[in-house]
Amino acid sequence: EYCPNCGKRYVRDTYAPEDRAEDFFAGRLPGPMPSHIKRCRGCGSNHWTGRSCDDCGQPLHDTVISFGDGLEECILRPAFEHAVEADACLSLGSTMSIGPSNQVV
């Protein structure tokens, strides 16, 4: 998880179960939708975890990358930097038509 407001990052030491946002979006769960569930404009999923930042109190965002989402600069920049220094690069599970993995090699 990370805080989009202040940038603080969190690593969970326990499994966090799915929050069932997709079931709310599809109308499979009755009742009011939890306030932290919001549809992402990029991929249509919910990235808000329902937890708040210890430093600034703002809502935390998950680090799951779904199709249509972009990679954070703190992940993408080192990938390009390491690729320049590497003797070989592997891109697994890709047809090499999806960026940015097709741009790293």
Side-chain angles (χ1 to χ4, degrees):
E1 294 172 297
Y2 71 97
C3 179
N5 185 59
C6 72
K8 183 171 181 176
R9 299 185 79 80
Y10 296 84
V11 177
R12 286 182 238 160
D13 59 357
T14 58
Y15 171 72
E18 169 63 38
D19 68 358
R20 309 286 308 269
E22 310 315 320
D23 290 329
F24 277 107
F25 292 155
R28 291 187 295 260
L29 284 177
M33 189 179 310
S35 61
H36 76 277
I37 294 179
K38 295 173 180 61
R39 190 180 301 269
C40 172
R41 285 177 266 148
C43 70
S45 294
N46 173 60
H47 295 292
W48 302 103
T49 66
R51 290 177 284 281
S52 299
C53 179
D54 294 336
D55 288 356
C56 70
Q58 295 299 307
L60 294 179
H61 196 282
D62 69 21
T63 56
V64 174
I65 304 295
S66 300
F67 192 79
D69 288 343
L71 289 171
E72 296 175 79
E73 181 65 23
C74 66
I75 303 296
L76 194 55
R77 184 177 8 85
F80 279 98
E81 290 169 357
H82 291 296
V84 169
E85 300 296 322
D87 293 329
C89 292
L90 295 176
S91 182
L92 303 176
S94 173
T95 61
M96 295 308 292
S97 63
I98 305 296
S101 61
N102 64 349
Q103 301 162 3
V104 172
V105 293

